[in-house]
Amino acid sequence: TPKSHSIEGLINKRLPSEAIRLLRELGDTGDALGLSVYAVGGFVRDLLLGMENLDMDVTVEGDGIFFAESFARTHGCRVRSHPAFSTAVIVRPDGSKVDVASTRLEYYESPGVLPTVERSSLRHDLYRRDFTINTLAFCINKDRFGLLTDYFGGQQDIQERIVRVLHNLSFVEDPTRVFRAVRFEQRLGFHIAPHTENLIRNAVRMNVLDKVGGTRLLNELILILREREPVRAVFRMAELGLLPSIHPALKQVGEAERVIHETTQVLAWFRLLYLKDHCEQWQVYFLALCDRLKQEEFVGICKRLSVPGRVVSRVFGLRNRALGVLEAMQRRLKHGPPIRNSEVYYCFQGLPLELLLYLAARTRHEEIRRFVSLYITHLRQVRCTLDGIALQQMGIKPGPELGYVMKHLLTARLDGTITTTEEERSMAMSLIRQST
Ligand code: ATP
């Protein structure tokens, strides 16, 4: 029998009243249907830790889809259900979501007796979870509201800040849990328990990750690289041997250490600009992680991880070109005349932010970092006042000639040799005269 005590006081103290109301409403639906309903998983873990987390997961002892649909009907919500997994997502009018799972329906099948849901089905359900800290549940039905169920010692592990699996075959059953262990350890500032760490090392030695599909591996990696401070997790993965089991070339990730640390700095700088542009942090770190890799190795890793085509065509597929640009710039700084703004512009044009930030992290030249900064904050927004239509009205025919004049004007704008519409107009005129 599990330890069970009420955390209603904690719920009332730590959760916003809106969240408490939602929990109670979900509980009421459970009462009306005669089903036990529990808040479970990361939501409960973070509540006990005092960390903000309003992603609610509930588990219904019984049919979760039926529960979700009933709740939605009476509360004006929509439902997306996944019958294959007996799960559903309640989408509330404000767009917030509640994940609903079902414990497996298990019946005592004795003839003549009405089927009853097996009492311990919640325990069964929680036993399939990754770590003890994620196995806590509290009931949200009215008569037991806030009653915490702790089958596997999750409370103690939260108190002692330990990430621990429930059983020895956990990582064999689902190898992606090795990444989840690192993610929780680093995010929460916990420690992977010594025995659990041994199980990870054994699993890695047994190459269990080889059997995991690319997409699942990539998703776990993305979750880590999207964390607020992923660097320690990256080196922890390296230390546990997780990275080489993705691809042998990732063995030397230590050589990329400088670039990985610089990436953190560059991303912090970028965030302070408060630009509207979205930047995928995980992609910048991914590029940093692969810094020392040859192009074929990089392509190999992308293949192994089934990186989606849209990410390849938007970002990763341009890596080689970006590295070429960086090299050319470095050569030019050593030998050639000073680099003009327009040259910076034409070099970086077409490269997505993620690659630009990676280049800034990678380069050892302060000037190049300044160029990236100048491009992101200023140059890429530069436009001429006279557009194609205005220039055609001045008598320039559409086609190569128009393209030539437009590029010339933009270059002059970028380099600051012209600054007004009047100057644009007279420059366009003299270009027309020259060409005729
Ligand atoms: P986060 O704050 O990152 O969302 P979380 O604990 O809510 O953390 P999710 O990835 O959203 O994690 O998963 C929800 C719950 O499902 C977890 O608490 C965990 O118990 C369970 N879970 C998720 N993935 C696995 C897995 N691979 N094996 C076992 N249980 C898992």
Side-chain angles (χ1 to χ4, degrees), residues 89-357:
V89 183
I90 299 173
V91 185
R92 301 171 69 220
D94 66 1
S96 66
K97 294 172 187 147
V98 179
D99 283 311
V100 180
S102 322
T103 61
R104 270 177 297 195
L105 287 171
E106 286 169 74
Y107 297 102
Y108 291 124
E109 292 190 41
S110 51
V113 175
L114 282 179
T116 23
V117 176
E118 191 190 327
R119 272 286 180 70
S120 65
S121 61
L122 177 67
R123 185 180 193 280
H124 267 272
D125 187 72
L126 295 171
Y127 188 66
R128 285 179 301 168
R129 291 181 183 250
D130 43 8
F131 307 111
T132 58
I133 56 172
N134 290 331
T135 60
L136 293 166
F138 67 83
C139 186
I140 57 177
N141 292 84
K142 201 183 203 104
D143 60 343
R144 285 174 290 156
F145 189 85
L147 212 57
L148 186 80
T149 299
D150 181 3
Y151 287 106
F152 308 106
Q155 281 179 103
Q156 188 172 349
D157 284 343
I158 286 180
Q159 247 154 35
E160 295 175 4
R161 311 184 85 75
I162 290 173
V163 178
R164 188 199 309 276
V165 285
L166 278 73
H167 56 83
N168 287 348
L169 290 178
S170 190
F171 296 119
V172 177
E173 211 169 85
D174 180 355
T176 62
R177 289 175 185 160
V178 300
F179 293 97
R180 298 178 60 83
V182 170
R183 182 157 62 89
F184 289 125
E185 179 187 59
Q186 298 303 323
R187 182 207 295 170
L188 304 173
F190 280 28
H191 282 286
I192 297 175
H195 181 59
T196 299
E197 185 169 326
N198 282 336
L199 294 174
I200 294 180
R201 293 187 191 276
N202 280 339
V204 170
R205 229 172 285 135
M206 285 161 55
N207 299 320
V208 292
L209 284 168
D210 291 356
K211 280 174 258 137
V212 182
T215 306
R216 292 193 67 210
L217 269 188
L218 179 64
N219 283 340
E220 291 301 330
L221 195 59
I222 289 176
L223 287 176
I224 289 180
L225 299 182
R226 273 187 182 152
E227 288 279 324
R228 206 139 46 118
E229 292 169 12
V231 173
R232 270 178 311 145
V234 167
F235 292 115
R236 183 69 158 134
M237 284 192 286
E239 193 235 317
L240 290 169
L242 307 190
L243 294 177
S245 60
I246 294 176
H247 192 285
L250 284 173
K251 223 196 314 268
Q252 301 107 309
V253 75
E255 292 170 27
E257 189 165 345
R258 181 189 64 86
V259 180
I260 294 171
H261 283 296
E262 284 296 334
T263 300
T264 306
Q265 304 295 319
V266 169
L267 283 167
W269 165 82
F270 178 76
R271 258 178 237 119
L272 284 177
L273 296 176
Y274 292 103
L275 300 179
K276 291 246 164 51
D277 315 61
H278 180 66
C279 167
E280 280 287 2
Q281 169 180 310
W282 77 264
Q283 295 174 2
V284 189
Y285 276 114
F286 187 92
L287 288 160
L289 210 68
C290 297
D291 186 59
R292 285 311 194 83
L293 270 50
K294 296 191 201 70
Q295 183 63 10
E296 314 88 76
E297 293 170 328
F298 183 74
V299 171
I301 289 182
C302 290
K303 285 221 176 88
R304 167 64 183 111
L305 294 174
S306 315
V307 173
R310 65 194 146 74
V311 177
V312 172
S313 56
R314 203 184 77 83
V315 185
F316 291 169
L318 303 176
R319 173 184 187 256
N320 223 12
R321 194 193 123 196
L323 290 175
V325 164
L326 193 61
E327 237 173 73
M329 265 194 178
Q330 280 164 1
R331 264 200 311 276
R332 183 58 197 282
L333 273 180
K334 273 212 195 100
H335 306 298
I339 300 181
R340 279 175 283 116
N341 285 357
S342 56
E343 291 176 84
V344 172
Y345 179 90
Y346 295 118
C347 276
F348 290 154
Q349 197 186 17
L351 293 182
L353 279 171
E354 289 82 359
L355 267 169
L356 291 168
L357 295 178

Side-chain angles (χ1 to χ4, degrees), residues 40 42-44 52-57 97-99:
V40 295
F43 173 70
V44 184
E52 189 178 302
N53 178 356
L54 296 176
D55 290 339
M56 250 176 235
D57 284 312
K97 294 172 187 147
V98 179
D99 283 311

